[in-house]
Amino acid sequence: MSTEIQTITASLPSSLTLRPSTETKDADGKQEEYKYANLLPVFPQDEHYPPLVPFDHVDPAARALSLPNPRAFLDNATSVVEITPHLGTEVRGVSLTALDNAGRDQLALEKRLVVFRDQEDFLNRGPDFYLEWGRYFGRLHIHPTSGHPAGYPEVHLVYRDANSTFNFEHNNSISSTGWHSDVSYELQPPGLTTFFLLSQPTTGGDTAFTSQVAALKRLSPPFVAFLRTLKAVHSGFEQAAYSRSGKRGGVVRREPVENVHPVVRRHPVTGEEAIYVNRQFTRHIVGFKREESAAILNLLYDHIDKSADVQARVKWQPNTVVLWDNRVTAHSAIVDYINGKERRHGARITPQAERPIPALEGLDLSQ
């Protein structure tokens, strides 16, 4: 990685902002103010939050089950294209900002991956609208270490430009691919998640997604039955240590946690079962010796990595908004654009959902 990448340390002032990046160049090469400068990441050093407390999550998708047509929100779409047989729908002609409550309920039932093009109105509504949108689907998560727009800690930002990166990245790997479900270390990890790029490179910077439901179905029934009996520890300590070392912005606004989740979880509305482990946050299988745990987890990680036949890749276009269900879908950023020195600036709205429900009824999730 380029030696020009800026390292941010915790000794910086109480509020860190990306001031050098507020300008961009127009088609003639002239400097102009960056349209989304108000959404650049800040890292207030004095921002701290108490531990999250459990809450009762009501999934809006459950209301859509009783509707005559659970996909009626797509009736006026000009184009609906299935990206792959297992995962991903690309939609044009539907404005997310115009959806009523029934439309939002139906969208929640789509659950896996939906790519909405031509959503300039959504992006331009700004952070107050982003929060209203996200709260419809659940309690909004405040990320413990990432940047956020000033005054809007519930909006998680990803950011990289020619000189700086404020992402959770590792340079000592031969690949930037890192399949994960967002903040799976929380007691109640995210459900329906919304993400969009405010600025993207000319080419590259795609996001890859994979169906953890389809991946599970590829495994043999006896092995799946075995996996249903397992639970694993998910930890946020490494992510916190990354920031405490002076990277990403150098802040940890909530102390890290680890929680136990089933290796196979069940969706509360559809009943679908999905693999729920990932390299980024899963640490070990409870009750197994280190080598035994590693053998099982590495087999699952390898399966997820190699299963291109249940994956989909989203190529970002301006004004694209992507929604997916973090409970049954994993994803990875593709950091292949850094030599172009272009900006990639994205925002994620992350409603939390229920504590993962074990596929095996009665599985004890204590340590």
Side-chain angles (χ1 to χ4, degrees):
M1 188 172 292
S2 170
T3 56
E4 296 178 15
I5 293 300
Q6 182 178 355
T7 299
I8 304 300
T9 67
S11 62
L12 289 167
S14 61
S15 183
L16 169 66
T17 308
L18 293 181
R19 299 189 186 281
S21 301
T22 59
E23 292 186 341
T24 187
K25 292 183 179 181
D26 62 17
D28 298 322
K30 297 179 181 179
Q31 293 290 339
E32 60 180 13
E33 186 70 15
Y34 177 42
K35 180 179 180 180
Y36 297 108
N38 65 311
L39 298 177
L40 288 169
V42 298
F43 297 86
Q45 302 294 305
D46 57 354
E47 184 180 23
H48 301 289
Y49 295 96
L52 295 175
V53 297
F55 72 102
D56 292 328
H57 173 66
V58 178
D59 196 319
R63 295 190 290 266
L65 286 176
S66 61
L67 297 175
N69 178 11
R71 301 192 88 194
F73 78 103
L74 296 176
D75 285 349
N76 294 323
T78 58
S79 174
V80 178
V81 177
E82 300 305 317
I83 300 173
T84 76
H86 292 287
L87 183 66
T89 304
E90 182 185 73
V91 178
R92 295 182 186 272
V94 173
S95 172
L96 290 173
T97 60
L99 289 182
D100 58 12
N101 288 350
R104 294 185 183 191
D105 292 346
Q106 295 161 31
L107 177 57
L109 189 59
E110 287 292 303
K111 66 193 176 293
R112 294 182 186 173
L113 173 66
V114 192
V115 180
F116 290 90
R117 305 294 190 185
D118 309 316
Q119 301 296 315
E120 184 175 8
D121 185 48
F122 187 103
L123 271 63
N124 290 342
R125 289 286 183 99
D128 288 312
F129 171 77
Y130 304 160
L131 300 190
E132 183 275 325
W133 169 266
R135 287 192 178 110
Y136 187 84
F137 302 105
R139 185 178 75 179
L140 294 185
H141 182 258
I142 295 177
H143 198 281
T145 64
S146 68
H148 61 71
Y152 295 92
E154 302 91 346
V155 179
H156 162 91
L157 296 176
V158 299
Y159 188 92
R160 174 187 274 275
D161 61 21
N163 301 308
S164 308
T165 178
F166 294 89
N167 301 328
F168 183 38
E169 300 171 345
H170 292 286
N171 306 338
N172 59 348
S173 175
I174 61 175
S175 172
S176 65
T177 306
W179 294 104
H180 63 284
S181 178
D182 292 319
V183 296
S184 65
Y185 49 76
E186 300 288 14
L187 181 66
Q188 294 179 247
L192 186 68
T193 303
T194 305
F195 183 74
F196 48 92
L197 291 186
L198 300 156
S199 180
Q200 62 275 323
T202 305
T203 185
D206 299 351
T207 303
F209 294 86
T210 191
S211 170
Q212 300 288 62
V213 173
L216 181 69
K217 291 178 178 178
R218 295 300 175 93
L219 303 174
S220 65
F223 189 58
V224 171
F226 169 63
L227 293 178
R228 289 193 187 107
T229 68
L230 306 180
K231 53 192 177 183
V233 172
H234 295 238
S235 174
F237 280 83
E238 181 182 1
Q239 189 178 71
Y242 182 87
S243 288
R244 283 189 168 128
S245 71
K247 302 182 180 71
R248 196 182 204 179
V251 301
V252 177
R253 57 182 65 93
R254 189 172 58 248
E255 288 302 305
V257 297
E258 61 180 29
N259 281 289
V260 174
H261 297 315
V263 170
V264 181
R265 69 181 295 177
R266 179 172 58 83
H267 193 282
V269 177
T270 67
E272 290 180 309
E273 297 181 7
I275 298 172
Y276 197 64
V277 298
N278 65 87
R279 291 186 192 272
Q280 194 165 104
F281 300 123
T282 309
R283 293 295 166 261
H284 64 271
I285 296 177
V286 176
F288 281 59
K289 293 184 178 181
R290 182 180 60 188
E291 295 85 353
E292 297 167 340
S293 172
I296 297 168
L297 289 176
N298 285 332
L299 184 152
L300 293 176
Y301 298 154
D302 191 53
H303 174 47
I304 293 167
D305 290 347
K306 293 179 178 179
S307 294
D309 50 352
V310 299
Q311 297 171 8
R313 181 162 171 159
V314 173
K315 184 172 181 60
W316 291 97
Q317 300 172 6
N319 304 317
T320 295
V321 176
V322 174
L323 293 98
W324 72 94
D325 193 330
N326 255 303
R327 295 171 290 191
V328 295
T329 307
H331 62 282
S332 174
I334 300 176
V335 190
D336 57 354
Y337 58 93
I338 58 176
N339 291 334
K341 301 187 182 302
E342 294 181 277
R343 188 197 328 252
R344 187 180 188 270
H345 178 199
R348 189 182 80 206
I349 310 162
T350 319
Q352 293 176 256
E354 74 287 341
R355 186 178 186 181
I357 301 169
L360 179 64
E361 187 175 354
L363 181 67
D364 180 9
L365 294 179
S366 61
Q367 286 275 14

